[in-house]
Structures are given as C-alpha cells and as structure tokens.
C-alpha cells in the first residue's frame, strides 16, 4: 500500500482571504496569472477596477469617492446593458505597483464603497507589461 494518500482538492472560495497575504484568493489568482505571463509586479502598471452600482446616483457617488481616494476615472460612467438595467458600471484606474498591501487596501476600499452604495466590486485587471 502506498504510504501517502492524495488529498482530494478542496474547493477554495475566491472571496475568502489568504491567511499569509490577507488578500482574497481571486486576487492571488490574478497576481499569479500576471507573473506567469512574465509580469514584474515591482514595476508600476495601469490597473483597471470594475464596480457596479444599482442607480446612476450611486454610480456617481462611488466615482466621486474613488476619485477623491486617488483613483482616476474613465471619461464616463457606463450605461447599464439591456440585460442588467439596474447595474451601472463604474470603472476606476490607477498606475501602481501591484503588491499584496496595495491589492488588500484597494480591495477593502472598493468593497466598502460597493457595500455602502448597495453595489458590487467585481475586481481588477492589469496588463502583464507596464
């Protein structure tokens, strides 16, 4: 008999936080994909953050607060799609070094903004090259 048994892979909730880094597993996965694509995460790069608000007023409030926190905005708040008429997209941007501390602080900020305005923070994206 083989002395070691393989453990069944446990499913990980992407919204749970890594105990080592304090960031959500979905953010760990994005960072891992960037490094697999050759990204040097110590170099600043353009990062885009995606939020959704239930009303235009909520979207404008989220955009204003994000802008006050130092996150630039695209020229306009997006319009809801016909499939999701109660979901106003808000896109924020920054040129930053992607570190666990930055990802944690940004995630906390956008989770808080989304919660206070009954919206959703969907996550972030960045290119592998700065």
């Amino acid at each position: 008999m083989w002395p070691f048994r393989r453990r069944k892979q446990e499913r990980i909730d992407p919204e749970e936080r890594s105990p080592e880094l304090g960031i959500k597993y979905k953010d760990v996965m994005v960072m891992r994909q960037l490094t697999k694509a050759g990204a040097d995460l110590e170099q600043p790069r353009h990062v885009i953050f995606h939020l959704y608000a239930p009303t235009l007023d909520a979207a404008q409030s989220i955009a204003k607060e994000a802008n006050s926190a130092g996150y630039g905005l695209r020229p306009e708040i997006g319009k809801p799609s016909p499939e999701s008429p109660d979901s106003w997209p808000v896109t924020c941007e920054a040129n930053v070094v992607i570190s666990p501390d930055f990802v944690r602080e940004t995630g906390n900020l956008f989770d808080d903004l989304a919660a206070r305005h009954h919206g959703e923070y969907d996550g972030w994206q960045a290119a592998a090259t700065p």
Side-chain angles (χ1 to χ4, degrees):
M1 182 170 178
W2 188 253
F4 303 102
R5 288 184 173 229
R6 275 184 108 171
R7 255 189 222 184
K8 289 183 181 178
Q9 281 208 339
E10 296 176 29
R11 296 229 182 249
I12 295 174
D13 179 355
E15 294 295 324
E16 292 287 321
R17 292 185 184 264
S18 158
E20 295 85 21
L21 300 174
I23 63 176
K24 293 180 180 181
Y25 285 112
K26 68 180 183 179
D27 296 322
V28 172
M29 290 185 275
V30 173
M31 293 174 75
R32 185 174 295 144
Q33 288 299 322
L34 287 169
T35 55
K36 279 184 181 179
D40 175 0
L41 297 183
E42 293 182 8
Q43 298 299 315
R45 68 195 63 249
H46 185 231
V47 182
I48 302 171
F49 307 91
H50 302 280
L51 297 96
Y52 297 90
T55 65
L56 176 59
D57 286 343
Q60 290 171 335
S61 294
I62 289 170
K64 182 178 178 182
E65 289 182 53
N67 198 332
S68 294
Y71 296 89
L73 300 174
R74 294 200 172 196
E76 65 184 34
I77 293 170
K79 294 185 179 175
S81 70
E83 297 83 29
S84 302
D86 296 329
S87 184
W88 292 79
V90 180
T91 305
C92 301
E93 312 177 273
N95 287 310
V96 295
V97 171
I98 300 172
S99 68
D101 288 340
F102 172 77
V103 172
R104 182 177 43 258
E105 291 165 11
T106 301
N108 290 344
L109 169 72
F110 288 133
D111 279 339
D112 178 61
L113 281 175
R116 285 191 291 111
H117 296 285
H118 308 287
E120 176 187 358
Y121 171 48
D122 194 32
W124 57 278
Q125 69 184 59
T129 55

mmCIF file with all atom_site columns, all heavy atoms in Angstrom, residues 92-114:
data_model
loop_
_atom_site.group_PDB
_atom_site.id
_atom_site.type_symbol
_atom_site.label_atom_id
_atom_site.label_alt_id
_atom_site.label_comp_id
_atom_site.label_asym_id
_atom_site.label_entity_id
_atom_site.label_seq_id
_atom_site.pdbx_PDB_ins_code
_atom_site.Cartn_x
_atom_site.Cartn_y
_atom_site.Cartn_z
_atom_site.occupancy
_atom_site.B_iso_or_equiv
_atom_site.pdbx_formal_charge
_atom_site.auth_seq_id
_atom_site.auth_comp_id
_atom_site.auth_asym_id
_atom_site.auth_atom_id
_atom_site.pdbx_PDB_model_num
ATOM 1   N N   . CYS A 1 92  ? -12.632 52.467 -12.552 1.00 0.00 ? 92  CYS A N   1
ATOM 2   C CA  . CYS A 1 92  ? -11.600 53.315 -11.955 1.00 0.00 ? 92  CYS A CA  1
ATOM 3   C C   . CYS A 1 92  ? -10.236 52.818 -12.420 1.00 0.00 ? 92  CYS A C   1
ATOM 4   O O   . CYS A 1 92  ? -10.085 51.645 -12.757 1.00 0.00 ? 92  CYS A O   1
ATOM 5   C CB  . CYS A 1 92  ? -11.677 53.252 -10.439 1.00 0.00 ? 92  CYS A CB  1
ATOM 6   S SG  . CYS A 1 92  ? -13.265 53.769 -9.776  1.00 0.00 ? 92  CYS A SG  1
ATOM 7   N N   . GLU A 1 93  ? -9.264  53.718 -12.426 1.00 0.00 ? 93  GLU A N   1
ATOM 8   C CA  . GLU A 1 93  ? -7.931  53.371 -12.918 1.00 0.00 ? 93  GLU A CA  1
ATOM 9   C C   . GLU A 1 93  ? -6.857  53.919 -12.001 1.00 0.00 ? 93  GLU A C   1
ATOM 10  O O   . GLU A 1 93  ? -7.078  54.889 -11.286 1.00 0.00 ? 93  GLU A O   1
ATOM 11  C CB  . GLU A 1 93  ? -7.698  53.981 -14.299 1.00 0.00 ? 93  GLU A CB  1
ATOM 12  C CG  . GLU A 1 93  ? -8.803  53.774 -15.287 1.00 0.00 ? 93  GLU A CG  1
ATOM 13  C CD  . GLU A 1 93  ? -8.518  54.481 -16.598 1.00 0.00 ? 93  GLU A CD  1
ATOM 14  O OE1 . GLU A 1 93  ? -8.863  55.666 -16.710 1.00 0.00 ? 93  GLU A OE1 1
ATOM 15  O OE2 . GLU A 1 93  ? -7.954  53.835 -17.478 1.00 0.00 ? 93  GLU A OE2 1
ATOM 16  N N   . ALA A 1 94  ? -5.690  53.307 -12.078 1.00 0.00 ? 94  ALA A N   1
ATOM 17  C CA  . ALA A 1 94  ? -4.518  53.805 -11.363 1.00 0.00 ? 94  ALA A CA  1
ATOM 18  C C   . ALA A 1 94  ? -3.280  53.236 -12.042 1.00 0.00 ? 94  ALA A C   1
ATOM 19  O O   . ALA A 1 94  ? -3.339  52.186 -12.675 1.00 0.00 ? 94  ALA A O   1
ATOM 20  C CB  . ALA A 1 94  ? -4.552  53.388 -9.901  1.00 0.00 ? 94  ALA A CB  1
ATOM 21  N N   . ASN A 1 95  ? -2.170  53.930 -11.930 1.00 0.00 ? 95  ASN A N   1
ATOM 22  C CA  . ASN A 1 95  ? -0.863  53.420 -12.349 1.00 0.00 ? 95  ASN A CA  1
ATOM 23  C C   . ASN A 1 95  ? -0.099  53.145 -11.072 1.00 0.00 ? 95  ASN A C   1
ATOM 24  O O   . ASN A 1 95  ? 0.268   54.076 -10.359 1.00 0.00 ? 95  ASN A O   1
ATOM 25  C CB  . ASN A 1 95  ? -0.134  54.436 -13.235 1.00 0.00 ? 95  ASN A CB  1
ATOM 26  C CG  . ASN A 1 95  ? -0.750  54.505 -14.613 1.00 0.00 ? 95  ASN A CG  1
ATOM 27  O OD1 . ASN A 1 95  ? -0.952  53.477 -15.243 1.00 0.00 ? 95  ASN A OD1 1
ATOM 28  N ND2 . ASN A 1 95  ? -1.079  55.706 -15.068 1.00 0.00 ? 95  ASN A ND2 1
ATOM 29  N N   . VAL A 1 96  ? 0.110   51.859 -10.783 1.00 0.00 ? 96  VAL A N   1
ATOM 30  C CA  . VAL A 1 96  ? 0.647   51.473 -9.481  1.00 0.00 ? 96  VAL A CA  1
ATOM 31  C C   . VAL A 1 96  ? 1.513   50.228 -9.582  1.00 0.00 ? 96  VAL A C   1
ATOM 32  O O   . VAL A 1 96  ? 1.496   49.511 -10.574 1.00 0.00 ? 96  VAL A O   1
ATOM 33  C CB  . VAL A 1 96  ? -0.495  51.174 -8.485  1.00 0.00 ? 96  VAL A CB  1
ATOM 34  C CG1 . VAL A 1 96  ? -1.307  52.406 -8.187  1.00 0.00 ? 96  VAL A CG1 1
ATOM 35  C CG2 . VAL A 1 96  ? -1.381  50.068 -9.002  1.00 0.00 ? 96  VAL A CG2 1
ATOM 36  N N   . VAL A 1 97  ? 2.256   49.989 -8.497  1.00 0.00 ? 97  VAL A N   1
ATOM 37  C CA  . VAL A 1 97  ? 2.954   48.724 -8.300  1.00 0.00 ? 97  VAL A CA  1
ATOM 38  C C   . VAL A 1 97  ? 1.945   47.801 -7.624  1.00 0.00 ? 97  VAL A C   1
ATOM 39  O O   . VAL A 1 97  ? 1.324   48.175 -6.626  1.00 0.00 ? 97  VAL A O   1
ATOM 40  C CB  . VAL A 1 97  ? 4.198   48.918 -7.398  1.00 0.00 ? 97  VAL A CB  1
ATOM 41  C CG1 . VAL A 1 97  ? 4.785   47.584 -7.007  1.00 0.00 ? 97  VAL A CG1 1
ATOM 42  C CG2 . VAL A 1 97  ? 5.227   49.787 -8.102  1.00 0.00 ? 97  VAL A CG2 1
ATOM 43  N N   . ILE A 1 98  ? 1.790   46.615 -8.169  1.00 0.00 ? 98  ILE A N   1
ATOM 44  C CA  . ILE A 1 98  ? 0.820   45.667 -7.624  1.00 0.00 ? 98  ILE A CA  1
ATOM 45  C C   . ILE A 1 98  ? 1.503   44.833 -6.538  1.00 0.00 ? 98  ILE A C   1
ATOM 46  O O   . ILE A 1 98  ? 2.249   43.913 -6.840  1.00 0.00 ? 98  ILE A O   1
ATOM 47  C CB  . ILE A 1 98  ? 0.250   44.756 -8.727  1.00 0.00 ? 98  ILE A CB  1
ATOM 48  C CG1 . ILE A 1 98  ? -0.443  45.602 -9.787  1.00 0.00 ? 98  ILE A CG1 1
ATOM 49  C CG2 . ILE A 1 98  ? -0.706  43.738 -8.143  1.00 0.00 ? 98  ILE A CG2 1
ATOM 50  C CD1 . ILE A 1 98  ? -0.857  44.818 -11.011 1.00 0.00 ? 98  ILE A CD1 1
ATOM 51  N N   . SER A 1 99  ? 1.236   45.198 -5.304  1.00 0.00 ? 99  SER A N   1
ATOM 52  C CA  . SER A 1 99  ? 1.781   44.456 -4.163  1.00 0.00 ? 99  SER A CA  1
ATOM 53  C C   . SER A 1 99  ? 0.610   43.896 -3.363  1.00 0.00 ? 99  SER A C   1
ATOM 54  O O   . SER A 1 99  ? -0.521  44.390 -3.484  1.00 0.00 ? 99  SER A O   1
ATOM 55  C CB  . SER A 1 99  ? 2.600   45.397 -3.277  1.00 0.00 ? 99  SER A CB  1
ATOM 56  O OG  . SER A 1 99  ? 1.736   46.329 -2.653  1.00 0.00 ? 99  SER A OG  1
ATOM 57  N N   . PRO A 1 100 ? 0.851   42.906 -2.524  1.00 0.00 ? 100 PRO A N   1
ATOM 58  C CA  . PRO A 1 100 ? -0.240  42.415 -1.682  1.00 0.00 ? 100 PRO A CA  1
ATOM 59  C C   . PRO A 1 100 ? -0.866  43.524 -0.831  1.00 0.00 ? 100 PRO A C   1
ATOM 60  O O   . PRO A 1 100 ? -2.083  43.561 -0.673  1.00 0.00 ? 100 PRO A O   1
ATOM 61  C CB  . PRO A 1 100 ? 0.426   41.347 -0.816  1.00 0.00 ? 100 PRO A CB  1
ATOM 62  C CG  . PRO A 1 100 ? 1.534   40.835 -1.676  1.00 0.00 ? 100 PRO A CG  1
ATOM 63  C CD  . PRO A 1 100 ? 2.049   42.059 -2.400  1.00 0.00 ? 100 PRO A CD  1
ATOM 64  N N   . ASP A 1 101 ? -0.044  44.432 -0.302  1.00 0.00 ? 101 ASP A N   1
ATOM 65  C CA  . ASP A 1 101 ? -0.585  45.525 0.509   1.00 0.00 ? 101 ASP A CA  1
ATOM 66  C C   . ASP A 1 101 ? -1.513  46.401 -0.316  1.00 0.00 ? 101 ASP A C   1
ATOM 67  O O   . ASP A 1 101 ? -2.601  46.766 0.126   1.00 0.00 ? 101 ASP A O   1
ATOM 68  C CB  . ASP A 1 101 ? 0.530   46.386 1.103   1.00 0.00 ? 101 ASP A CB  1
ATOM 69  C CG  . ASP A 1 101 ? 1.287   45.685 2.219   1.00 0.00 ? 101 ASP A CG  1
ATOM 70  O OD1 . ASP A 1 101 ? 0.739   44.721 2.801   1.00 0.00 ? 101 ASP A OD1 1
ATOM 71  O OD2 . ASP A 1 101 ? 2.432   46.088 2.492   1.00 0.00 ? 101 ASP A OD2 1
ATOM 72  N N   . PHE A 1 102 ? -1.082  46.761 -1.540  1.00 0.00 ? 102 PHE A N   1
ATOM 73  C CA  . PHE A 1 102 ? -1.908  47.593 -2.407  1.00 0.00 ? 102 PHE A CA  1
ATOM 74  C C   . PHE A 1 102 ? -3.218  46.879 -2.750  1.00 0.00 ? 102 PHE A C   1
ATOM 75  O O   . PHE A 1 102 ? -4.297  47.468 -2.681  1.00 0.00 ? 102 PHE A O   1
ATOM 76  C CB  . PHE A 1 102 ? -1.169  47.965 -3.699  1.00 0.00 ? 102 PHE A CB  1
ATOM 77  C CG  . PHE A 1 102 ? -2.059  48.653 -4.676  1.00 0.00 ? 102 PHE A CG  1
ATOM 78  C CD1 . PHE A 1 102 ? -2.401  49.981 -4.511  1.00 0.00 ? 102 PHE A CD1 1
ATOM 79  C CD2 . PHE A 1 102 ? -2.605  47.951 -5.744  1.00 0.00 ? 102 PHE A CD2 1
ATOM 80  C CE1 . PHE A 1 102 ? -3.270  50.607 -5.403  1.00 0.00 ? 102 PHE A CE1 1
ATOM 81  C CE2 . PHE A 1 102 ? -3.462  48.571 -6.633  1.00 0.00 ? 102 PHE A CE2 1
ATOM 82  C CZ  . PHE A 1 102 ? -3.800  49.905 -6.458  1.00 0.00 ? 102 PHE A CZ  1
ATOM 83  N N   . VAL A 1 103 ? -3.124  45.608 -3.121  1.00 0.00 ? 103 VAL A N   1
ATOM 84  C CA  . VAL A 1 103 ? -4.317  44.851 -3.505  1.00 0.00 ? 103 VAL A CA  1
ATOM 85  C C   . VAL A 1 103 ? -5.286  44.754 -2.323  1.00 0.00 ? 103 VAL A C   1
ATOM 86  O O   . VAL A 1 103 ? -6.497  44.916 -2.479  1.00 0.00 ? 103 VAL A O   1
ATOM 87  C CB  . VAL A 1 103 ? -3.934  43.455 -4.040  1.00 0.00 ? 103 VAL A CB  1
ATOM 88  C CG1 . VAL A 1 103 ? -5.156  42.583 -4.252  1.00 0.00 ? 103 VAL A CG1 1
ATOM 89  C CG2 . VAL A 1 103 ? -3.156  43.596 -5.347  1.00 0.00 ? 103 VAL A CG2 1
ATOM 90  N N   . ARG A 1 104 ? -4.769  44.519 -1.128  1.00 0.00 ? 104 ARG A N   1
ATOM 91  C CA  . ARG A 1 104 ? -5.610  44.419 0.068   1.00 0.00 ? 104 ARG A CA  1
ATOM 92  C C   . ARG A 1 104 ? -6.298  45.758 0.358   1.00 0.00 ? 104 ARG A C   1
ATOM 93  O O   . ARG A 1 104 ? -7.507  45.825 0.564   1.00 0.00 ? 104 ARG A O   1
ATOM 94  C CB  . ARG A 1 104 ? -4.777  43.977 1.270   1.00 0.00 ? 104 ARG A CB  1
ATOM 95  C CG  . ARG A 1 104 ? -5.572  43.787 2.547   1.00 0.00 ? 104 ARG A CG  1
ATOM 96  C CD  . ARG A 1 104 ? -4.729  43.282 3.725   1.00 0.00 ? 104 ARG A CD  1
ATOM 97  N NE  . ARG A 1 104 ? -3.445  43.931 3.870   1.00 0.00 ? 104 ARG A NE  1
ATOM 98  C CZ  . ARG A 1 104 ? -2.260  43.405 3.485   1.00 0.00 ? 104 ARG A CZ  1
ATOM 99  N NH1 . ARG A 1 104 ? -2.193  42.214 2.950   1.00 0.00 ? 104 ARG A NH1 1
ATOM 100 N NH2 . ARG A 1 104 ? -1.143  44.080 3.655   1.00 0.00 ? 104 ARG A NH2 1
ATOM 101 N N   . GLU A 1 105 ? -5.521  46.848 0.363   1.00 0.00 ? 105 GLU A N   1
ATOM 102 C CA  . GLU A 1 105 ? -6.089  48.166 0.667   1.00 0.00 ? 105 GLU A CA  1
ATOM 103 C C   . GLU A 1 105 ? -7.107  48.590 -0.383  1.00 0.00 ? 105 GLU A C   1
ATOM 104 O O   . GLU A 1 105 ? -8.171  49.120 -0.045  1.00 0.00 ? 105 GLU A O   1
ATOM 105 C CB  . GLU A 1 105 ? -4.967  49.204 0.780   1.00 0.00 ? 105 GLU A CB  1
ATOM 106 C CG  . GLU A 1 105 ? -4.097  48.995 2.000   1.00 0.00 ? 105 GLU A CG  1
ATOM 107 C CD  . GLU A 1 105 ? -2.779  49.762 1.938   1.00 0.00 ? 105 GLU A CD  1
ATOM 108 O OE1 . GLU A 1 105 ? -2.616  50.628 1.041   1.00 0.00 ? 105 GLU A OE1 1
ATOM 109 O OE2 . GLU A 1 105 ? -1.907  49.480 2.781   1.00 0.00 ? 105 GLU A OE2 1
ATOM 110 N N   . THR A 1 106 ? -6.790  48.347 -1.640  1.00 0.00 ? 106 THR A N   1
ATOM 111 C CA  . THR A 1 106 ? -7.712  48.705 -2.710  1.00 0.00 ? 106 THR A CA  1
ATOM 112 C C   . THR A 1 106 ? -8.978  47.862 -2.649  1.00 0.00 ? 106 THR A C   1
ATOM 113 O O   . THR A 1 106 ? -10.086 48.381 -2.801  1.00 0.00 ? 106 THR A O   1
ATOM 114 C CB  . THR A 1 106 ? -7.031  48.529 -4.084  1.00 0.00 ? 106 THR A CB  1
ATOM 115 O OG1 . THR A 1 106 ? -5.875  49.356 -4.115  1.00 0.00 ? 106 THR A OG1 1
ATOM 116 C CG2 . THR A 1 106 ? -7.947  48.926 -5.212  1.00 0.00 ? 106 THR A CG2 1
ATOM 117 N N   . GLY A 1 107 ? -8.812  46.567 -2.429  1.00 0.00 ? 107 GLY A N   1
ATOM 118 C CA  . GLY A 1 107 ? -9.981  45.690 -2.306  1.00 0.00 ? 107 GLY A CA  1
ATOM 119 C C   . GLY A 1 107 ? -10.875 46.118 -1.159  1.00 0.00 ? 107 GLY A C   1
ATOM 120 O O   . GLY A 1 107 ? -12.103 46.159 -1.297  1.00 0.00 ? 107 GLY A O   1
ATOM 121 N N   . ASN A 1 108 ? -10.272 46.464 -0.023  1.00 0.00 ? 108 ASN A N   1
ATOM 122 C CA  . ASN A 1 108 ? -11.058 46.930 1.119   1.00 0.00 ? 108 ASN A CA  1
ATOM 123 C C   . ASN A 1 108 ? -11.806 48.217 0.784   1.00 0.00 ? 108 ASN A C   1
ATOM 124 O O   . ASN A 1 108 ? -12.977 48.372 1.128   1.00 0.00 ? 108 ASN A O   1
ATOM 125 C CB  . ASN A 1 108 ? -10.162 47.151 2.337   1.00 0.00 ? 108 ASN A CB  1
ATOM 126 C CG  . ASN A 1 108 ? -9.624  45.855 2.916   1.00 0.00 ? 108 ASN A CG  1
ATOM 127 O OD1 . ASN A 1 108 ? -10.122 44.766 2.628   1.00 0.00 ? 108 ASN A OD1 1
ATOM 128 N ND2 . ASN A 1 108 ? -8.583  45.965 3.732   1.00 0.00 ? 108 ASN A ND2 1
ATOM 129 N N   . LEU A 1 109 ? -11.134 49.153 0.116   1.00 0.00 ? 109 LEU A N   1
ATOM 130 C CA  . LEU A 1 109 ? -11.767 50.416 -0.258  1.00 0.00 ? 109 LEU A CA  1
ATOM 131 C C   . LEU A 1 109 ? -12.960 50.168 -1.176  1.00 0.00 ? 109 LEU A C   1
ATOM 132 O O   . LEU A 1 109 ? -14.067 50.654 -0.925  1.00 0.00 ? 109 LEU A O   1
ATOM 133 C CB  . LEU A 1 109 ? -10.759 51.331 -0.961  1.00 0.00 ? 109 LEU A CB  1
ATOM 134 C CG  . LEU A 1 109 ? -11.374 52.573 -1.623  1.00 0.00 ? 109 LEU A CG  1
ATOM 135 C CD1 . LEU A 1 109 ? -11.820 53.575 -0.572  1.00 0.00 ? 109 LEU A CD1 1
ATOM 136 C CD2 . LEU A 1 109 ? -10.391 53.197 -2.591  1.00 0.00 ? 109 LEU A CD2 1
ATOM 137 N N   . PHE A 1 110 ? -12.748 49.396 -2.247  1.00 0.00 ? 110 PHE A N   1
ATOM 138 C CA  . PHE A 1 110 ? -13.825 49.194 -3.217  1.00 0.00 ? 110 PHE A CA  1
ATOM 139 C C   . PHE A 1 110 ? -14.937 48.292 -2.672  1.00 0.00 ? 110 PHE A C   1
ATOM 140 O O   . PHE A 1 110 ? -16.110 48.494 -2.994  1.00 0.00 ? 110 PHE A O   1
ATOM 141 C CB  . PHE A 1 110 ? -13.275 48.683 -4.540  1.00 0.00 ? 110 PHE A CB  1
ATOM 142 C CG  . PHE A 1 110 ? -12.528 49.747 -5.305  1.00 0.00 ? 110 PHE A CG  1
ATOM 143 C CD1 . PHE A 1 110 ? -11.287 49.477 -5.852  1.00 0.00 ? 110 PHE A CD1 1
ATOM 144 C CD2 . PHE A 1 110 ? -13.053 51.010 -5.486  1.00 0.00 ? 110 PHE A CD2 1
ATOM 145 C CE1 . PHE A 1 110 ? -10.590 50.449 -6.564  1.00 0.00 ? 110 PHE A CE1 1
ATOM 146 C CE2 . PHE A 1 110 ? -12.375 51.998 -6.181  1.00 0.00 ? 110 PHE A CE2 1
ATOM 147 C CZ  . PHE A 1 110 ? -11.142 51.719 -6.723  1.00 0.00 ? 110 PHE A CZ  1
ATOM 148 N N   . ASP A 1 111 ? -14.594 47.324 -1.832  1.00 0.00 ? 111 ASP A N   1
ATOM 149 C CA  . ASP A 1 111 ? -15.640 46.527 -1.176  1.00 0.00 ? 111 ASP A CA  1
ATOM 150 C C   . ASP A 1 111 ? -16.506 47.432 -0.305  1.00 0.00 ? 111 ASP A C   1
ATOM 151 O O   . ASP A 1 111 ? -17.738 47.309 -0.291  1.00 0.00 ? 111 ASP A O   1
ATOM 152 C CB  . ASP A 1 111 ? -15.029 45.419 -0.310  1.00 0.00 ? 111 ASP A CB  1
ATOM 153 C CG  . ASP A 1 111 ? -14.601 44.197 -1.100  1.00 0.00 ? 111 ASP A CG  1
ATOM 154 O OD1 . ASP A 1 111 ? -15.104 43.979 -2.231  1.00 0.00 ? 111 ASP A OD1 1
ATOM 155 O OD2 . ASP A 1 111 ? -13.754 43.439 -0.574  1.00 0.00 ? 111 ASP A OD2 1
ATOM 156 N N   . ASP A 1 112 ? -15.865 48.347 0.428   1.00 0.00 ? 112 ASP A N   1
ATOM 157 C CA  . ASP A 1 112 ? -16.599 49.268 1.297   1.00 0.00 ? 112 ASP A CA  1
ATOM 158 C C   . ASP A 1 112 ? -17.476 50.213 0.479   1.00 0.00 ? 112 ASP A C   1
ATOM 159 O O   . ASP A 1 112 ? -18.651 50.415 0.799   1.00 0.00 ? 112 ASP A O   1
ATOM 160 C CB  . ASP A 1 112 ? -15.618 50.065 2.167   1.00 0.00 ? 112 ASP A CB  1
ATOM 161 C CG  . ASP A 1 112 ? -16.331 51.064 3.051   1.00 0.00 ? 112 ASP A CG  1
ATOM 162 O OD1 . ASP A 1 112 ? -17.160 50.635 3.886   1.00 0.00 ? 112 ASP A OD1 1
ATOM 163 O OD2 . ASP A 1 112 ? -16.082 52.281 2.907   1.00 0.00 ? 112 ASP A OD2 1
ATOM 164 N N   . LEU A 1 113 ? -16.917 50.793 -0.581  1.00 0.00 ? 113 LEU A N   1
ATOM 165 C CA  . LEU A 1 113 ? -17.710 51.687 -1.437  1.00 0.00 ? 113 LEU A CA  1
ATOM 166 C C   . LEU A 1 113 ? -18.918 50.961 -2.003  1.00 0.00 ? 113 LEU A C   1
ATOM 167 O O   . LEU A 1 113 ? -20.038 51.484 -1.992  1.00 0.00 ? 113 LEU A O   1
ATOM 168 C CB  . LEU A 1 113 ? -16.860 52.226 -2.594  1.00 0.00 ? 113 LEU A CB  1
ATOM 169 C CG  . LEU A 1 113 ? -15.906 53.362 -2.299  1.00 0.00 ? 113 LEU A CG  1
ATOM 170 C CD1 . LEU A 1 113 ? -15.073 53.675 -3.537  1.00 0.00 ? 113 LEU A CD1 1
ATOM 171 C CD2 . LEU A 1 113 ? -16.677 54.592 -1.876  1.00 0.00 ? 113 LEU A CD2 1
ATOM 172 N N   . ALA A 1 114 ? -18.695 49.763 -2.512  1.00 0.00 ? 114 ALA A N   1
ATOM 173 C CA  . ALA A 1 114 ? -19.787 48.996 -3.100  1.00 0.00 ? 114 ALA A CA  1
ATOM 174 C C   . ALA A 1 114 ? -20.848 48.676 -2.045  1.00 0.00 ? 114 ALA A C   1
ATOM 175 O O   . ALA A 1 114 ? -22.051 48.836 -2.297  1.00 0.00 ? 114 ALA A O   1
ATOM 176 C CB  . ALA A 1 114 ? -19.255 47.714 -3.731  1.00 0.00 ? 114 ALA A CB  1
#
